[in-house]
Amino acid sequence: MRKINVFDTTLRDGEQSPGVNLNFEEKLQIAAQLDRLGVDIIEAGFPAASEGDFQSVKAIAETVKGSSVTGLSRSVKKEIDAAWEALKGGEEPRLHVFIATSPIHMTHKLRMTPDQVIENAVDSVKYAKQRFPRVQWSAEDACRSDIDFLARIIEKVIDAGAEVINLPDTVGYITQEEIRHMFTYLRETVPNIDKAILSTHCHDDLGMAVSNSLAAVEAGAGQVECTINGIGERAGNASLEEIAVALKIRNDFYNAETGLTLNEIKRTSSLVSKLTGMVVPNNKAVVGDNAFAHESGIHQDGVLKESSTYEIITPDLVGVSANRMVLGKLSGRHAFKEKIESLGYNATEEELNKVFKAFKSLADKKKEITDEDIFALMTEEKAGEAVKYYEVEALQVNYGTNNIPTAAVTMLNPEGETIQEAATGSGSVEAVYNTIERIIGKEVKLKDYRIQSITGGRDALAEVYVQIEYEGEEASGRGTANDVLEASARAYINSVNRVLNRKKWPRPKTEKIHV
Ligand SMILES: [Zn+2]
């Protein structure tokens, strides 16, 4: 069976989704989970974009050991140099360099002739090869490029040392028949094509990213680029979990397989959804909450008698397990530590102490603690802000149907002083937010507020997600607590802290990268 390499770009293309802004700790956490999932290549970011991107790519390259780590660069020497500085500490430094090849991009964006584009592409691959053991080259907007021009430039960049040739459908425009033809034609036409792996990278503007990626695999692509939950700019990228499971379930047809540990899929999906704030729809293939729920009476009967009657994917395959009680009030630190490790976390003593304390206090209020609860507590701890500029110390809310909701909040400010304030609002959450805003002393605009429960039951943990605008910057934030008002306060403060943390490493408003 043919092995298909999985190239995950959740941290680069996925991170460009509107409203998504992952901090340093969150990127590291996602990279560690992608490594556990067994993706072949992690695209960790675009090192030349900003100091923040550079630092996170560097840290991921230095810590991830199983997957190969790559970073994106335009065909510009100083960007290739920046990528090298970020990636050189990795096990197998790999560069992803690109240039546009479609007439519309060459004429309007690059203002270069086709021959100049070839020269530039060859020069940058040669330059990259002086440092990087592995170089991938991408033809931006390949699917709207002249195919004979593509054949010409691909032959030259392979001669220059590129080992992977990626042909992105940058704008999500191609059809299955066309992409199959493109890959087949290039494999038949480019004389040195067997020296490189062909790669596909599809966008979902017409809802065809996954089927186009699979069509490319049929036509000989040996690498698929995708993101967890299909997140990405506009309608997003091809979703990793759908491609991986389609190749598994229909290997009789595709005769190809990935090296992924498929039962890590659900956890990876939940982690990315939680940290990015991009909710997975209930009916999403493979990872949606309804994907394995057989509600209809007739179906249910069939599934109970013989699961394959209506169920082509088993929940176990992708790591969906029933929510069982795993730990209780009397569980000790040792059992707790083992649980954390079985969930794939590598916690420091300090983190462990903090999370164990949070677990104990949760266990006092909630009868059954599930994997998902512990996962939520641990994620919260790991994804904590680098520096907590503001911290809530105490919160009290007065609410009744016949009076005005009033909140009193005690907070630590960045100077470490304790500040107390009170304010009213039309509802309890607004009263809390008005009070916190008063302590911060500057306007915090609330743009989105969402709440959900982790696991079922009346005693479930509440998770609040907010998006705010503060000091001219947008940020999202999350908070988890037993009580919805406490979770709301935490999410709000978390988002403000994120803005303040990000100000250390501002991302310059440069031209956006689309590959
Ligand atoms: Zn893309």
Side-chain angles (χ1 to χ4, degrees), residues 23 35 127 132 136 155 169 176 209 258 299 382 415 422 499:
N23 67 25
D35 192 15
Y127 185 75
F132 288 89
Q136 161 170 333
E155 184 185 351
D169 182 17
Q176 286 92 300
T258 67
H299 281 208
K382 282 268 186 194
E415 287 73 43
V499 171

Side-chain angles (χ1 to χ4, degrees), residues 121 220 284 409-410 469 511:
K284 169 88 164 61
V409 180
T410 311
E469 200 184 308
E511 174 195 353

Side-chain angles (χ1 to χ4, degrees), residues 189-436:
T189 317
V190 178
N192 54 1
I193 199 79
D194 55 336
K195 289 196 185 122
I197 293 173
L198 285 180
S199 166
T200 183
H201 174 120
C202 296
H203 278 268
D204 210 30
D205 297 70
L206 297 174
M208 302 198 286
V210 169
S211 49
N212 283 340
S213 305
L214 292 168
V217 168
E218 276 180 72
Q223 175 176 297
V224 176
E225 302 197 359
C226 40
T227 61
I228 301 298
N229 301 334
I231 65 167
E233 269 186 280
R234 310 187 308 276
N237 289 55
S239 89
L240 181 147
E241 60 283 358
E242 292 179 22
I243 292 170
V245 172
L247 288 176
K248 170 73 183 174
I249 299 294
R250 296 307 312 275
N251 60 18
D252 60 318
F253 179 79
Y254 292 107
N255 208 20
E257 61 186 357
T258 67
L260 297 180
T261 305
L262 294 178
N263 63 18
E264 288 288 340
I265 280 184
K266 179 66 181 179
R267 186 174 300 153
T268 315
S269 163
S270 306
L271 179 69
V272 169
S273 167
K274 185 188 284 284
L275 297 185
T276 56
M278 303 268 289
V279 176
V280 175
N282 286 349
N283 65 333
K284 169 88 164 61
V286 181
V287 288
D289 279 347
N290 291 354
F292 301 102
H294 293 270
E295 293 282 350
S296 138
I298 301 166
H299 281 208
Q300 231 168 40
D301 190 47
V303 171
L304 288 177
K305 282 185 182 132
E306 166 54 47
S307 62
S308 59
T309 38
Y310 290 101
E311 198 179 72
I312 60 161
I313 312 167
T314 63
D316 287 346
L317 179 77
V318 295
V320 174
S321 53
N323 253 316
R324 294 162 288 120
M325 183 187 101
V326 292
L327 291 174
K329 204 171 162 173
L330 299 172
S331 305
R333 197 173 178 281
H334 187 72
F336 183 74
K337 188 174 177 217
E338 276 184 355
K339 187 76 226 171
I340 292 282
E341 280 163 5
S342 81
L343 289 174
Y345 280 109
N346 223 334
T348 62
E349 279 302 300
E350 196 198 339
E351 284 169 342
L352 204 64
N353 287 339
K354 276 194 190 158
V355 182
F356 186 62
K357 213 174 132 196
F359 158 73
K360 277 290 180 190
S361 110
L362 180 63
D364 279 340
K365 298 170 193 154
K366 188 172 187 289
K367 217 164 54 201
E368 298 187 337
I369 310 283
T370 65
D371 277 357
E372 274 187 67
D373 290 322
I374 295 173
F375 183 66
L377 293 177
M378 197 62 216
T379 309
E380 184 95 336
E381 174 57 35
K382 282 268 186 194
E385 312 87 3
V387 181
K388 286 186 172 135
Y389 290 89
Y390 289 99
E391 234 174 308
V392 180
E393 295 234 289
L395 170 69
Q396 190 174 337
V397 180
N398 223 322
Y399 173 81
T401 46
N402 294 330
N403 60 19
I404 298 167
T406 312
V409 180
T410 311
M411 259 168 53
L412 278 179
N413 74 2
E415 287 73 43
E417 300 156 351
T418 304
I419 303 192
Q420 222 171 359
E421 269 292 354
T424 59
S426 55
S428 302
V429 173
E430 201 203 350
V432 171
Y433 286 3
N434 286 346
T435 313
I436 296 174

